[in-house]
Amino acid sequence: MIEPRPLTPDVELRIATLDDAPALADAQTRSREHLRPWEPVRDEKWFTTAGQVERMTYQLERYKNGLVVPWVLASDDRIVGQITLSDLVPGPFRSAALGYWLAVDVLGRGLATRAVEAVAEIADTELKLHRIEASTLTGNVASQRVLQRTGFTQIGMAPTYLHIDGHWQDCNLYQRILNSREPGA
């Protein structure tokens, strides 16, 4: 059981629930134009409670099966961001992919940095992963700074890596080595 963690006095990192769907829809709607350049093209359903229920049902099923860990950044009854470890791979790889976003109204408070740090610590101590990886569009300097501040190293650049904002885009690839433990330790 991954316990909630305070990131600031008013923002908590906790596992998402289906009850978060209305607040997720609200956060996505508030931040629609801010997030548009960094995300896939979203249909109108994405910005509704029903669309978020559908997405979270899928994510929580994958969480139950050990494939993903979906967190929200919650401030009382509002969602101000989300961070996810996906594609958890056990065995000799012991790796996962990191993704995150913040609502437009909480930018510049250090929340992304705090959330990435907390998730890296959980990935190391509770999930027993060896590494986490992340990618950013080559022009997403703010996200690159978050990764660099939190111990990620750029390991490459992948041309036409993700279909974002309606077209294939180049991405910088990053990783953070969490530990040197043996896979079973």
Side-chain angles (χ1 to χ4, degrees), residues 35-109:
L35 293 173
R36 186 191 46 73
W38 317 117
E39 295 202 344
V41 172
R42 306 291 190 191
D43 65 19
E44 289 305 312
K45 186 175 182 182
W46 178 267
F47 300 96
T48 68
T49 297
Q52 292 301 310
V53 165
E54 186 178 295
R55 179 174 77 96
M56 292 315 304
T57 298
Y58 175 74
Q59 288 286 61
L60 292 170
E61 183 65 27
R62 294 185 75 222
Y63 175 55
K64 193 168 57 176
N65 293 321
L67 301 172
V68 69
V69 184
W71 287 275
V72 292
L73 283 68
S75 180
D76 296 319
D77 61 347
R78 290 180 67 228
I79 299 299
V80 297
Q82 195 164 23
I83 186 166
T84 305
L85 282 178
S86 58
D87 303 322
L88 276 79
V89 180
F93 195 36
R94 307 220 41 92
S95 182
L98 177 75
Y100 52 90
W101 60 267
L102 288 179
V104 67
D105 51 330
V106 297
L107 298 175
R109 294 179 43 192

